[in-house]
Amino acid sequence: MAFHPRHPSNSSSLITLYDTNVQHRYSAQSWAPNIWRIRFILNYKRLPYTTVWVEFADVETTLRSIGAPPSVVKGDGRPVYSLPVLVDPTKTPYAPVILSNANNIAEYLESAYPSPAVFPAGSRALQSLFAHYIQEVFAKPLLPIMVPISHQQLSDRNQRHLRNHPSSLSAAYTSQGDYLINPLPPGPQREQAWLAVKEQFDFIDAIMAKNNGDGDGIVVMGRDVSYADFVLCSVLLWIVRIAPPDWARVRNWNGGRWERLWERCKPYMQEH
């Protein structure tokens, strides 16, 4: 299904997605995996929307100013503000829905705009479990490789902010330790890190191959793309946009599965 955006007559009624970007040549690009989950859903459902770009250094101030809830509240009661945030004024313009946390936003969009579905009937629990695995297990070996590269492509102002407030990166991934600013140098240590990444890709490949008999063997739910595919493809997109030379290796793993998944999700990669 190709994406053809609907064009409302009044742009003030648009859904707004709050995102962050990096500068590539002459254009800014969205790259954060958790935010791309939502962008995929908006595009798949053909919902008109606009983007407000927010620098990491301005996230908390910006989100507080629009009345966005924190994405999480720590055990000591401290709120944490992170992206994505979605504002939807389409049903109640004077009291728009304002949501944070990618999972909450995904659930809302499916309930408010059920067709086409990203959670086919009876799949929400299993897809949510899959999404949790991708974020908390599958993506973890990528962090020592990808976090420093991502950090280096941000503005000097944002790099200074993140050195002082590393928890701000929770919009895209969970950062831990010194690898936030200390990239792995080329050589055996970096290659060993990629071996750990490949173990996770091999595992997911074996799981998704179980659909070969009664599906196309490419997407999680068998034949149609769903939220689980968007969660997984968001990680691929992070690699493509932040570390293109490393995508050259990943795209050929597991018989080219990941390039095929990329192509299935590609129609929903527009940015507004």
Side-chain angles (χ1 to χ4, degrees), residues 51-154:
T51 301
V52 171
W53 300 106
V54 185
E55 294 193 11
F56 275 118
D58 300 325
V59 165
E60 181 169 349
T61 300
T62 300
L63 299 188
R64 284 182 179 273
S65 73
I66 66 170
S71 56
V72 68
V73 176
K74 292 186 175 181
D76 60 5
R78 287 182 297 163
V80 176
Y81 291 86
S82 65
L83 303 174
V85 159
L86 183 118
V87 178
D88 183 3
T90 58
K91 299 182 186 301
T92 53
Y94 300 103
V97 174
I98 305 177
L99 294 169
S100 61
N101 186 296
N103 292 323
N104 292 342
I105 296 171
E107 294 272 354
Y108 165 78
L109 289 173
E110 183 73 348
S111 297
Y113 307 97
S115 180
V118 295
F119 292 102
S123 73
R124 195 170 300 213
L126 287 177
Q127 286 205 69
S128 297
L129 184 61
F130 185 92
H132 179 81
Y133 182 88
I134 294 300
Q135 179 168 323
E136 300 299 328
V137 181
F138 174 84
K140 283 295 177 69
L142 271 168
L143 301 186
I145 301 168
M146 293 297 300
V147 170
I149 302 173
S150 304
H151 183 266
Q152 289 176 338
Q153 295 189 36
L154 299 173

